[in-house]
Amino acid sequence: MTRILVVDDEPQLLRALRINLVARHYEVAVAPDGSSALRQAAEFHPDLVLLDLGLPDLDGVDVIHGMRGWTSVPIVVLSGRAGNQDKIEALDAGADDYVTKPFDIEELFARIRAVTRRVGLHEAELASVQIGDHLVDLSNKTVSGDVRLTPTEWGILELLLRNPGKLVSQRQLLTEVWGRNHVKETHYLRQYMAQLRKKLERDPAHPVHLITESGMGYRFRP
């Protein structure tokens, strides 16, 4: 049974989420603030954390940093902060996804399933991925159909494919592919993503796998 820790200071939302999660056969623990969230994470050993940013004692981003100091458990942020900067800070701190309040409960469960699948694939040491008509072999760095990718295109693609369903921030992509001195060069990403779509998507103008999250980053949708 998948264990989920829900962290939020709104009692009604905590109760509603607990009821809905238990009804879908998740094991649930709850925490009303950041300090108890960190304690629960260590004691409950959740498989996934749903985390509000606006907590009474600690900012949610600080909680993410605290958890990332010792665990890679997936973290999905639930927050009323809709600004792109808040999302970017949470993702850069180590969150796996970001859902803005108010949210549709079915969308939330879809995000939970996506993150859970991503973790399962990662643990299985994902070797190959299907994108449209092409099979991408990550171990041998080959693409079926005689598609050739540049080293930079491979760097971007591999980071996305090894995090299926996860929103990967622009900053993370730029840092890992180009280095820390290029975190503002977002035009690089737009150009290379356009090239990847031309090579891999059936309809590059309407991609279904290599998705842009405007102002935040990119996501590989299996």
Side-chain angles (χ1 to χ4, degrees):
M1 182 180 291
T2 300
R3 292 166 295 179
I4 296 182
L5 171 62
V6 185
V7 185
D8 202 295
D9 63 340
E10 299 179 38
Q12 291 181 331
L13 181 58
L14 272 184
R15 182 174 181 275
L17 285 172
R18 184 205 285 270
I19 290 171
N20 278 279
L21 287 164
V22 169
R24 288 165 172 82
H25 309 293
Y26 292 102
E27 185 178 350
V28 183
V30 298
D33 54 52
S35 299
S36 55
L38 293 170
R39 185 171 61 253
Q40 284 273 42
E43 296 174 356
F44 182 59
H45 300 292
D47 299 301
L48 184 140
V49 177
L50 298 178
L51 173 68
D52 182 31
L53 293 183
L55 300 172
D57 58 342
L58 296 172
D59 188 83
V61 171
D62 293 327
V63 175
I64 296 172
H65 281 299
M67 289 186 182
R68 284 292 172 258
W70 61 275
T71 179
S72 60
V73 61
I75 300 172
V76 177
V77 170
L78 307 179
S79 180
R81 302 177 187 175
N84 278 350
Q85 189 57 41
D86 292 307
K87 297 177 183 179
I88 290 167
E89 287 180 4
L91 292 167
D92 284 343
D96 293 79
D97 207 345
Y98 195 110
V99 180
T100 303
K101 297 177 181 179
F103 52 82
D104 178 82
I105 192 68
E106 294 304 325
E107 178 189 354
L108 175 60
F109 281 107
R111 300 287 187 96
I112 290 172
R113 291 191 296 271
V115 170
T116 303
R117 283 197 301 271
R118 177 183 65 76
V119 173
L121 288 169
H122 181 75
E123 290 176 349
E125 294 184 350
L126 186 65
S128 60
V129 181
Q130 189 77 31
I131 300 181
D133 299 321
H134 303 285
L135 185 66
V136 180
D137 186 329
L138 294 173
S139 298
N140 296 312
K141 294 191 181 300
T142 60
V143 182
S144 65
D146 200 31
V147 173
R148 305 297 183 198
L149 300 183
T150 68
T152 299
E153 288 170 345
W154 269 113
I156 296 170
L157 184 64
E158 185 165 358
L159 186 54
L160 292 172
L161 296 191
R162 292 196 180 279
N163 292 278
K166 178 181 176 179
L167 176 58
V168 182
S169 72
Q170 294 176 341
R171 179 182 292 270
Q172 182 180 352
L173 280 162
L174 288 165
T175 299
E176 296 199 21
V177 178
W178 280 277
R180 295 186 178 277
N181 293 330
H182 297 276
V183 294
K184 295 183 179 180
E185 308 294 341
T186 56
H187 62 283
Y188 287 171
L189 287 175
R190 289 194 295 271
Q191 293 169 1
Y192 277 96
M193 287 300 297
Q195 292 172 195
L196 283 170
R197 288 176 180 134
K198 287 179 181 177
K199 293 180 178 182
L200 299 174
E201 291 276 6
R202 290 174 180 168
D203 183 357
H206 301 90
V208 297
H209 297 291
L210 303 175
I211 307 301
T212 299
E213 298 284 355
S214 182
M216 294 184 290
Y218 299 89
R219 189 193 305 267
F220 166 59
R221 182 181 296 158

